[in-house]
Amino acid sequence: MNLYEEQLNHFFVSVFNDILRLEEESLAKGEYKNLSVNEMHVIEAVCDAAKDGTNTMKELSAKLQITASSLTISVKTLEQKGYLIREKSEHDKRKVFVCPTEIAIKAYDHHHAFHEQLIGNVSKTLNEAEMAALTLALGTLHRFFLSQ
């Protein structure tokens, strides 16, 4: 690896770990300390998908890029904690919808506020040109990772 590649590798690993740490800290000190970051991301996916009716187990596992069995385990755990419920479709009994409970929606709102605050704080440290460059670069990276 050349110097830039080494720095990029370091940034990827560090930034990924920093964001996870901040998310874990946010959950640990709030009223949702019984949730892991992964569980919060499942709740987030369910809440987002419920808005447009794409909250079936099949669609959620594809959206989260996890196996159906991994999603089943997560959903079962979150059902036991009172955050999600599963409902069979009235029209097609093979379809199972995952729906957020009221407490899941509150956790989702809390997590969304965390992200808004995080991005707001980051954007305060960058000028407009830096924000534009960062957004462009991250968009390019995102497209690259999606193609892998």
Side-chain angles (χ1 to χ4, degrees), residues 22-80:
L22 291 171
E23 284 186 313
E24 286 170 356
E25 288 173 4
S26 173
L27 287 171
K29 65 183 176 188
E31 61 184 288
Y32 306 105
K33 58 181 91 185
N34 67 333
L35 292 174
S36 69
V37 172
N38 286 340
E39 289 171 337
M40 186 65 244
H41 290 160
V42 171
I43 290 170
E44 185 176 36
V46 169
C47 288
D48 288 341
K51 293 173 186 173
D52 62 10
T54 59
N55 54 325
T56 65
M57 290 289 286
K58 183 177 180 178
E59 291 165 313
L60 287 166
S61 63
K63 195 173 292 191
L64 289 164
Q65 298 179 341
I66 60 175
T67 64
S69 59
S70 292
L71 180 61
T72 299
I73 292 166
S74 293
V75 169
K76 184 181 270 189
T77 300
L78 289 166
E79 275 185 310
Q80 291 169 349

Side-chain angles (χ1 to χ4, degrees), residues 106-144:
K106 288 179 181 175
Y108 171 85
D109 290 342
H110 173 80
H111 190 66
H112 186 73
F114 161 79
H115 278 271
E116 284 184 348
Q117 181 182 10
L118 180 66
I119 296 305
N121 289 339
V122 168
S123 69
K124 287 178 190 173
T125 67
L126 303 172
N127 64 40
E128 191 171 339
E130 291 169 327
M131 279 294 284
L134 180 60
T135 302
L136 181 64
L138 290 175
T140 301
L141 286 172
H142 188 225
R143 285 188 298 281
F144 167 78

Side-chain angles (χ1 to χ4, degrees), residues 8-26 37 41 114 118:
L8 192 58
N9 180 61
H10 174 74
F11 288 140
F12 280 174
V13 171
S14 296
V15 169
F16 178 78
N17 288 330
D18 289 342
I19 292 170
L20 281 178
R21 178 184 49 79
L22 291 171
E23 284 186 313
E24 286 170 356
E25 288 173 4
S26 173
V37 172
H41 290 160
F114 161 79
L118 180 66

